[in-house]
Amino acid sequence: MNSLKTTLFFGLLFSIFSCKTADGIATRTERPKNVILLISDGTGLSQISSAFYFQDKTSNYTRFENIGLINTSSSQEDITDSAAGATAFASGIKTYNGSIGLSDDYKDAKTIVEIASENNVKTGLITTSSLTHATPASFFAHVKNRGMENEIAAYLPKSGVDFFAGGGLRFFSGRNDNLDLIAALRAEKFTIDTTSLGNYNSIKSDEKLGFILADNALPKMQEGRGNFLAKAIEAGTDFLSKNRSPFFMMAEGSQIDWGGHNNDAPYLIAELIDFDEAIGKALDFAEKDGNTLVIVTSDHETGGFTLAAKKNKRDDGSEYSDYREIGPTFSTGGHSATLIPVFAFGPGSENFKGIYQNNEIFHKIINLTNWKIKQK
Amino acid sequence: MNPDFKSLTIKTGFNIRIFNDFKEINARHKKCLNLNNLSLINTSSPTPQSKRNE
């Protein structure tokens, strides 16, 4: 019996870890033309798992074959914040918590948006928070602290971003310093819409497009945000791929993190399911296009979220864990250090397997696309 | 300070057993071993799954 078990165990292991896989994949050099990076803020494996338990549809996470794990620690802390986490993705460096696009010694770290733009690659940023919030900000701004949102907003007009959608209008218009950043954006060939994700077909390919649809963050899913994220991804891919331009696009599901901070499972799960829908739109585009790499990951986990068994009571009042039903729990109101999954699809996606550091995502993208980093 | 993956301890009895088996395989098939393939499985039993879908 023992030898049978051993044989089965070895057989299973070798079916997974075959020589062909080990030697073949590492040397493949299929290059994507477009890259879509989807970041679900504050999302660990338990948050992702809720897409498999709290909706009737099959999760879009099942469409990925290549899965990896990243360590998200920042340069000085075991547990990262969103600013350092996003700077790792955007600029390929580990930096201190709170930094937006700056290194540990406060030097500007060139972002993938800036690099793409210098390589004549169109760029887009989408978020369900304010555009000046830590994650999107790290892709176009360079400031010492994530709280400097007025300064962050001032970077956007000349940032090299061609398409954006999100909230944060108060940082662009009606500011205390009277700086009119809507006018500044229009001066840089942006068409700006502050009402809805409207018609963008008439906009010429050498022009830019921006949607700023809320004073601060966009509403929660539970408060009627609708399918903004999926629609913005559709609009972004349509707009950026006009004239067959290559593009880089980052889209963030921001509020999964906020559900975690609030220890509010219904909030978190509604946001996660919305993000799952958005993944579907990106994958639909990538499947049709054939030259698009889609990477889905998160900056960190928030809340110590767990899909534990629901606590029920027996007739005598004693409590027990009912394995028939999930009762999500939290262990913290902050972030955690758990490794974070990476899902990849499309040309070069096999390079995102394995266990590695969060800033490697940037270097993998740059190596795959061959976008040149020009020195300042 | 970032954690060093090599220093992670494997704590449960189950994992120690797998780890020992794995070391054996590693020794016998070193060139063939690839730790870069990750997969995820859903571990629910059929009963609660079907209850949820009711």
Side-chain angles (χ1 to χ4, degrees):
Chain A
M1 191 62 187
N2 274 344
S3 68
L4 177 64
K5 271 186 182 171
T6 309
T7 308
L8 284 172
F9 176 72
F10 282 7
L12 179 65
L13 216 57
F14 284 120
S15 68
I16 298 167
F17 303 131
S18 73
C19 278
K20 190 179 173 187
T21 306
D23 296 333
I25 282 174
T27 55
R28 267 174 82 174
T29 53
E30 209 177 353
R31 292 194 187 283
K33 178 181 162 194
N34 312 310
V35 178
I36 301 175
L37 174 61
L38 301 178
I39 300 174
S40 50
D41 202 309
T43 302
L45 192 51
S46 286
Q47 282 85 348
I48 292 165
S49 303
S50 62
F52 293 76
Y53 293 102
F54 295 99
Q55 64 178 343
D56 294 330
K57 288 188 288 186
T58 301
S59 168
N60 284 301
Y61 282 103
T62 62
R63 295 167 67 179
F64 295 95
E65 287 185 352
N66 294 315
I67 304 167
L69 292 170
I70 49 171
N71 176 302
T72 63
S73 296
S74 61
S75 63
Q76 297 175 34
E77 297 89 357
D78 280 343
I79 300 175
T80 189
D81 79 332
S82 292
T87 298
F89 296 146
S91 296
I93 58 159
K94 294 267 190 184
T95 187
Y96 62 93
N97 283 356
S99 166
I100 300 289
L102 292 184
S103 61
D104 267 329
D105 53 357
Y106 305 122
K107 291 190 173 131
D108 286 10
K110 205 166 214 178
T111 73
I112 197 160
V113 162
E114 293 160 353
I115 295 163
S117 189
E118 286 172 356
N119 283 267
N120 297 317
V121 173
K122 299 272 186 189
T123 62
L125 298 176
I126 297 166
T127 180
T128 57
S129 67
S130 161
L131 288 152
T132 53
H133 209 258
T135 303
S138 298
F139 285 81
F140 68 86
H142 304 275
V143 297
K144 283 186 178 175
N145 192 291
R146 59 185 291 172
M148 300 163 68
E149 290 186 78
N150 276 327
E151 289 83 350
I152 289 168
Y155 274 90
L156 191 56
K158 291 183 184 290
S159 62
V161 173
D162 297 288
F163 174 94
F164 62 79
L169 187 57
R170 72 187 180 97
F171 299 107
F172 295 89
S173 176
R175 292 164 50 122
N176 288 337
D177 59 7
N178 293 324
L179 195 59
D180 184 352
L181 291 180
I182 299 293
L185 285 162
R186 287 184 173 136
E188 294 294 328
K189 289 190 172 180
F190 270 99
T191 296
I192 299 294
D193 193 330
T194 59
T195 57
S196 65
L197 279 174
N199 188 350
Y200 43 85
N201 290 331
S202 60
I203 296 167
K204 292 173 192 162
S205 60
D206 65 332
E207 294 178 355
K208 302 172 185 179
L209 179 59
F211 296 97
I212 315 179
L213 302 179
D215 260 354
N216 294 297
L218 291 167
K220 297 175 180 180
M221 281 306 287
Q222 295 164 308
E223 292 171 355
R225 188 170 75 236
N227 59 351
F228 162 81
L229 191 55
K231 272 182 72 179
I233 287 173
E234 212 165 29
T237 50
D238 274 0
F239 183 75
L240 295 170
S241 64
K242 267 188 178 183
N243 296 342
R244 301 188 171 194
S245 305
F247 69 85
F248 168 82
M249 186 169 80
M250 189 287 296
E252 182 202 24
S254 320
Q255 299 190 34
I256 302 159
D257 176 64
W258 300 351
H261 279 298
N262 291 356
N263 284 190
D264 182 340
Y267 180 14
L268 184 160
I269 291 166
E271 295 296 329
L272 191 282
I273 288 170
D274 177 55
F275 185 75
D276 191 349
E277 190 72 23
I279 292 173
K281 287 290 177 205
L283 288 177
D284 290 347
F285 175 87
E287 277 177 357
K288 198 173 162 190
D289 176 69
N291 291 311
T292 301
L293 169 66
V294 180
I295 305 152
V296 179
T297 191
S298 176
D299 46 2
H300 54 77
E301 193 276 343
T302 304
F305 185 62
T306 308
L307 297 182
K310 193 174 181 184
K311 297 284 184 194
N312 279 335
K313 285 192 174 171
R314 297 186 181 89
D315 292 343
D316 64 3
S318 62
E319 208 175 60
Y320 72 102
S321 295
D322 186 348
Y323 278 17
R324 294 170 302 177
E325 208 173 338
I326 293 167
T329 58
F330 295 87
S331 63
T332 174
H335 300 170
S336 75
T338 185
L339 299 187
I340 294 297
V342 180
F343 300 85
F345 174 92
S349 59
E350 60 279 356
N351 292 280
F352 291 82
K353 297 196 296 185
I355 303 175
Y356 47 95
Q357 296 291 336
N358 56 353
N359 57 322
E360 284 301 310
I361 300 252
F362 167 92
H363 297 289
K364 287 175 189 291
I365 295 171
I366 294 295
N367 287 338
L368 275 169
T369 55
N370 211 23
W371 296 337
K372 303 296 178 205
I373 303 175
K374 292 178 187 165
Q375 300 305 317
K376 284 184 180 174
Chain B
M1 191 184 76
N2 296 327
D4 175 0
F5 288 119
K6 288 174 189 167
S7 71
L8 290 174
T9 8
I10 296 169
K11 287 177 182 168
T12 68
F14 175 77
N15 281 339
I16 284 169
R17 185 166 60 76
I18 297 291
F19 184 63
N20 286 339
D21 286 346
F22 205 83
K23 275 206 307 194
E24 192 183 332
I25 294 164
N26 192 11
R28 289 165 60 185
H29 301 279
K30 214 169 184 177
K31 287 180 186 171
C32 188
L33 199 64
N34 176 13
L35 283 167
N36 285 336
N37 289 309
L38 300 177
S39 297
L40 297 173
I41 52 169
N42 182 316
T43 60
S44 294
S45 59
T47 309
Q49 191 96 43
S50 58
K51 270 186 76 70
R52 268 193 303 279
N53 292 336
E54 279 172 5

